[in-house]
Amino acid sequence: MIQRPRRLRGNAVLRKMVRETRVDKSSLVYPVFVREGEHIREEISTMPGQYRYSVDSLPYKLESLKKAGVDSVIFFGIPDKKDEEGSGAYAEDGIVQKALREARKQFGTELYLITDVCMCEYTSHGHCGVLCGHEVDNDPTLRLLSKTALSHVQAGADMVAPSDMMDGRVLAIRNELDAHGFANTPIMSYAVKYASGFYGPFRDAAGSAPSFGDRKSYQMDFHNRKEGIKEALMDVEEGADIVMVKPALAYQDMIREVADLVEIPVAAYSVSGEYAMVKAGAKLGFIEEERMIAEMAIGAYRAGASVYLTYFAEETARLMDAGIIG
Ligand code: PBG
């Protein structure tokens, strides 16, 4: 008799037993915005539930993350002053440097501290490097990025994450760190980073929208797949320890392709616009927030990410605790 193919059916215990994607909280990274000033916890209008913290109010947030089981953060700095060269990015008393020292002092090695390395929050024109005319000048920018990465590590960063997309920046940063005795400090590169409308709320949060033009000369065209693979392979060759795909939601094919191809961990960044979309939809009662968070997270992991950066890190951790995902 010809058997009819059948699918596995069963109760919740069985469904959990045979889950193909297993995740846990240690893979979560939470992005934190730090700004100058005191006693500040300022809500970001386009990202309800997300805040800019002054250094003194940072420990409360970090404590709550730790309690939820989220042990890794990535810092984004919002300086008071910007200039043409973005000198605040590598200043000894820069905002990220201060945040790192404070977090290290309060939490020792209990928190893993990552920093975003880029110039756009620090330049008066909002581009990711120094300009030559209206174009970002690649090689002079490498010097500034390397200086920034080194100053972050000297202030206590466990890992640096260049997000600028200049050519050769992973190698430049690797050489700079090695030359100063930080050969063991890993680099997570924003390798496959598309020019994306999903970054809108972030630029509002960090005040980093370009004052003219766009980032399309150094971020990738979202039509391109092979270009993404090339970027990932180049960064691996230059010495990246983790490669990231960003955004996550509309780019899960790229997460999968890169994860299949490279021998190092792949991170996915669920960016500000993904967060804002869920928040807005939920507020209007159009969607169920928790289920969206769960599916977006598992989508990224299922696609091959082993590190997941999300503004929903605490919520995701709670869903894992509750066994809804995990
Ligand atoms: C800095 C940087 C950006 C993001 C991370 N690092 C903004 C950009 O490239 O315009 C976006 C993160 C997010 O949207 O959550 N270059």
Side-chain angles (χ1 to χ4, degrees):
M1 194 170 72
I2 297 171
Q3 283 268 310
R4 188 171 54 139
R6 47 189 290 284
R7 55 186 282 264
L8 180 67
R9 289 196 175 83
N11 63 12
V13 177
L14 177 71
R15 283 197 300 276
K16 221 161 154 180
M17 183 198 298
V18 297
R19 271 182 186 169
E20 293 178 44
T21 306
R22 302 277 178 184
V23 295
D24 73 87
K25 294 187 278 189
S26 55
S27 61
L28 293 168
V29 180
Y30 179 71
V32 187
F33 296 99
V34 281
R35 53 156 294 166
E36 295 286 355
E38 271 175 44
H39 312 305
I40 297 172
R41 179 177 171 271
E42 170 185 51
E43 191 162 27
I44 299 160
S45 61
T46 50
M47 300 176 73
Q50 298 301 312
Y51 301 84
R52 303 181 192 95
Y53 299 91
S54 56
V55 171
D56 61 327
S57 39
L58 192 57
Y60 302 101
K61 180 62 190 176
L62 299 180
E63 193 59 56
S64 124
L65 285 162
K66 250 179 55 61
K67 271 206 193 105
V70 178
D71 295 329
S72 306
V73 293
I74 178 164
F75 285 133
F76 292 92
I78 306 164
D80 262 354
K81 291 189 211 79
K82 306 184 185 226
D83 57 31
E84 280 280 304
E85 291 229 317
S87 62
Y90 45 86
E92 163 95 47
D93 64 344
I95 181 65
V96 166
Q97 288 79 353
K98 285 190 283 194
L100 284 165
R101 280 187 222 107
E102 180 66 21
R104 194 55 80 211
K105 195 171 88 200
Q106 301 273 343
F107 296 93
T109 52
E110 283 178 32
L111 273 180
Y112 196 79
L113 307 176
I114 308 170
T115 58
D116 184 82
V117 175
C118 194
M119 310 308 292
C120 65
E121 293 112 285
Y122 304 91
T123 51
S124 42
H125 43 74
H127 278 283
C128 298
V130 280
L131 296 180
C132 177
H134 270 187
E135 295 286 326
V136 175
D137 208 353
N138 194 89
D139 290 9
T141 300
L142 296 182
R143 276 295 321 133
L144 301 185
L145 292 166
S146 308
K147 262 170 91 166
T148 302
L150 178 62
S151 82
H152 288 175
V153 175
Q154 284 170 335
D158 290 304
M159 174 155 82
V160 290
S163 69
D164 52 282
M165 294 295 281
M166 296 303 124
D167 288 336
R169 89 268 205 231
V170 173
L171 183 63
I173 291 172
R174 183 72 275 153
N175 285 337
E176 184 82 357
L177 296 182
D178 290 1
H180 289 84
F182 298 110
N184 291 332
T185 303
I187 300 175
M188 171 165 69
S189 78
Y190 287 69
V192 188
K193 178 172 175 177
Y194 287 91
S196 172
F198 282 101
Y199 309 148
F202 174 92
R203 291 178 188 174
D204 169 50
S208 66
S211 59
F212 64 87
D214 53 42
R215 301 203 208 292
K216 287 183 183 152
S217 67
Y218 42 98
Q219 296 182 355
M220 286 182 340
D221 181 342
F222 60 83
H223 297 82
N224 295 351
R225 173 182 148 264
K226 281 194 239 169
E227 189 187 8
I229 293 169
K230 182 178 165 200
E231 290 280 354
L233 292 176
M234 276 184 346
D235 283 5
V236 171
E237 211 162 291
E238 286 182 32
D241 298 281
I242 300 176
V243 282
M244 187 200 294
V245 175
K246 171 183 168 208
L249 191 57
Y251 299 87
Q252 293 188 345
D253 60 324
M254 295 310 300
I255 301 173
R256 168 49 61 205
E257 294 231 32
V258 172
D260 282 347
L261 211 61
V262 303
E263 306 294 333
I264 60 174
V266 174
Y269 192 155
S270 180
V271 298
S272 56
E274 301 180 38
Y275 177 87
M277 229 163 49
V278 172
K279 280 291 180 188
K283 191 174 170 193
L284 289 168
F286 292 170
I287 52 162
E288 287 176 57
E289 178 168 328
E290 272 204 347
R291 299 185 64 182
M292 299 298 119
I293 297 172
E295 286 173 46
M296 283 162 69
I298 295 303
Y301 289 112
R302 197 184 57 237
S306 45
V307 178
Y308 187 50
L309 295 88
T310 173
Y311 299 94
F312 284 122
E314 271 189 63
E315 291 83 346
T316 308
R318 255 178 255 122
L319 291 171
M320 290 179 184
D321 285 339
I324 295 169
I325 57 173

